[in-house]
Each structure stands twice: as C-alpha cells, then as structure tokens.
DNA sequence: ATGCATGCAAATTGTTTGCACTTCA
DNA sequence: TGAAGTGCAAACAATTTGCATGCAT
C-alpha cells in the first residue's frame, strides 16, 4: 500500500512520460502489498477493461526500475519481481523448500555493507536483496530440494 | 584448478553413476578456474571429439549441484553458473556495470549468518552467493546501467 | 509536431522434457 | 540384467524486439 499520488509525482519529476498504461501499472504496484512479476502485473491490469499489453508491462517495469521507482529482485521463482521503492529499506529471507518469504530489516546488512565498501572500495547495491536458505520448519524436515541457489 | 581424482572420488562415494559424459564434464569443471554456465561447459566439452549433448550437460550440472559437488550461483548474466565446491567458502562481489567479479571471503558474512539464524530461526544457504553493486571505477564514472539487481 | 510509447506478433534465450536407445554397476 | 543416463528433437517459459501506429508534452 503505497501513496499513488506521491509515486506519480516522482515519475513526473523524473521526466518520464506519464501514459495511461504506466498509470495503470503504477496503480497496481501501489495497491499491491509486496512483489509482483511482470506476468502477475499483467494479470492484475488486465482485469481492468482498459488492458495493457504484456510487452508494455515489461518495458514499463524496466523503465521504472531504472528510475529507482521500482526495485527488482530475484526471489528464486525464475522470474524477475518488482516492488515500489518505499522508505524502509528491507531485504528478504527466502526458504528454498517451501517458498516462504520473510522480511529482513536493512540494519542486518549495515555492517557488511560498510565492510565491503571499506575493504574493497565496492559499493553494494543493497537496496532490496534476497537471501536464500531454509526456514525452521523445513530445516527440521531435513534437506533436499534446491541446493546452492546463490 | 581442482583435484580431478578427489572429485571423482566424491562422486563415486555419493552413489552417482560415473558415466563417460560426467567424467568429461567434471574434468572441464576442474580445469576451469571459476564459474561456467551450462552453455560454456558445453562449449568446452564439445571441443573434445567425444562430445556431450547440451541437455546432458544441464542434467549433469543439476545432479552434481544437488550432491553439493558443484555450487550454483547467479552472477547477473541471466543464466545459472556453476563451480566446483572447494574448501574455502567464498562469495562474490559483482559489478553491475562493468561485470567485474571479485571474491569475498566467507568471514564477511559470518556475523550476518549468525544473526539471521538466531533472530529468525532461518538457516541461510550461504555457500556461495553474489552481491551486486558498483566497483570503484564504475562508481566514479557515475550511475546508470542496471539498477536494483537484487 | 515530434519523439517517446504502445500493440501485436514474431523472435530469442535459457532450460526442460518425452522417448527410444545405450551403458554403468 | 535392470535401473539410471544419454541423444535428439521438440516443448517451454520468461523476456525482448521490429515495426507501424498513437499519444503525451
């Protein structure tokens, strides 16, 4: 649940052309709580009678991601997922066996971020990333499934 | 550069059938220093006259990854990459603009691993993962390119 | 008006699968 | 011998692209 008007404002000030389709897509992204793949966004916007082509969805998501209005993430579902960039920086714990996704506050990564920046002169794009592993229940049940997912 | 015989031994003791094709693939993975995608492995093993089908390469890589003889990683090249699992746990810093890949010792992630395990009862599969961002040179040159890569 | 965006359809790319045949254990 | 593995070709899914048309600025 993000402020649609605020997002529109960000788009306008970025200079990106605000078309009917992009408006629809942004509305869907704002309403949505969490992530969505291009296909999912497409499904949602297709419900409204003024539908949008799938390729347009793809193009819009990429543009908006480049402007940092959306962030892109790989949650291990073999497709890119997107989310409105909000104020709280957060990341994700993804269970590779049951698919559960938990949020991880950015503070957990602050030290690592600093160390990498200092020691390697490397600026990590730590805005939204996924950490794969096993949740408590699945760990109990024993290993198996997808191994080194990254 | 990994010890081919040692790897074969691991495969044998895992119970996996040791075929001509898998031997060839493993030899290629051992000779190779670093990662390779299925396609790259395929290219390499195709040079030898006793070539291997691409689908066989895919199937072998998956099997070997499940046995933890190989680790799989997404380095942002939009294809899975594989590497022989060695002794030193390490991860990667991937520059999203120039593509440079640097190694990051596991020690950098130890604290995070522990915190996540403790606070979320979540066991991160921290064997080999990629951290995207910008290297010093590219950061200097200014932003652009791929944004939130995860 | 003019250039950026869209729709449509077709192309690409990475990866997977069905099936008859081969081969390792 | 029998189950597991292979080659081949075809299927797939996610994403991209060419091009004529359309619409914000």
């Amino acid at each position: 649940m993000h402020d649609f008007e605020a997002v529109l404002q960000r788009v306008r000030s970025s200079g990106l052309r605000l078309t009917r389709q992009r408006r629809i897509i942004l509305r869907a992204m704002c309403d949505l709580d969490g992530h969505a793949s291009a296909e999912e966004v497409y499904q949602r916007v297709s419900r409204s009678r003024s539908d949008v082509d799938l390729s347009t969805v793809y193009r819009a998501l990429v543009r908006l991601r480049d402007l940092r209005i959306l962030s892109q993430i790989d949650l291990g579902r073999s497709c890119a997922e997107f989310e409105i960039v909000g104020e709280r920086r957060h990341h994700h714990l993804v269970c590779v066996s049951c698919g559960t996704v938990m949020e991880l506050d950015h503070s957990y990564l602050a030290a690592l971020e600093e160390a990498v920046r200092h020691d390697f002169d490397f600026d990590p794009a730590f805005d939204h990333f996924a950490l794969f592993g096993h949740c408590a229940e699945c760990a109990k049940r024993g290993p198996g499934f997808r191994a080194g997912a990254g």
Side-chain angles (χ1 to χ4, degrees), chain A residues 12-135:
Chain A
R12 276 192 208 97
S13 65
S14 78
L16 192 71
R17 200 170 282 192
L18 200 38
T19 64
R20 181 180 64 83
Q21 292 78 341
R22 286 179 181 161
R23 219 179 279 264
I24 293 173
I25 290 167
L26 283 168
R27 150 85 30 195
M29 294 303 297
C30 283
D31 289 354
L32 169 73
D33 193 36
H35 316 88
S37 65
E39 187 62 39
E40 285 165 352
V41 173
Y42 177 64
Q43 302 291 347
R44 283 166 181 273
V45 306
S46 293
R47 277 193 218 116
S48 63
R49 58 203 138 304
S50 53
D51 47 345
V52 177
D53 191 74
L54 180 55
S55 68
T56 300
V57 172
Y58 272 102
R59 286 189 269 225
L61 294 177
V62 169
R63 288 283 197 305
L64 294 165
R65 180 256 272 151
D66 288 345
L67 292 169
R68 303 192 161 272
I69 285 164
L70 298 180
S71 66
Q72 181 179 343
I73 191 171
D74 166 25
L75 255 24
R77 293 201 298 149
S78 70
C79 64
E81 305 200 37
F82 298 83
E83 177 173 67
I84 294 271
V85 172
E87 319 74 39
R88 354 176 214 359
R89 284 178 82 179
H90 67 280
H91 310 280
H92 299 276
L93 300 178
V94 183
C95 178
V96 297
S97 36
C98 68
T100 300
V101 177
M102 293 183 271
E103 284 207 6
L104 180 75
D105 190 81
H106 178 69
S107 57
Y108 283 87
L109 298 180
L112 172 58
E113 183 173 23
E114 188 46 37
V116 168
R117 192 167 279 144
H118 180 272
D119 296 359
F120 295 86
D121 208 1
F122 184 92
D123 183 34
F126 262 166
D127 54 281
H128 205 198
F129 99 128
L131 217 156
F132 298 93
H134 294 272
C135 68

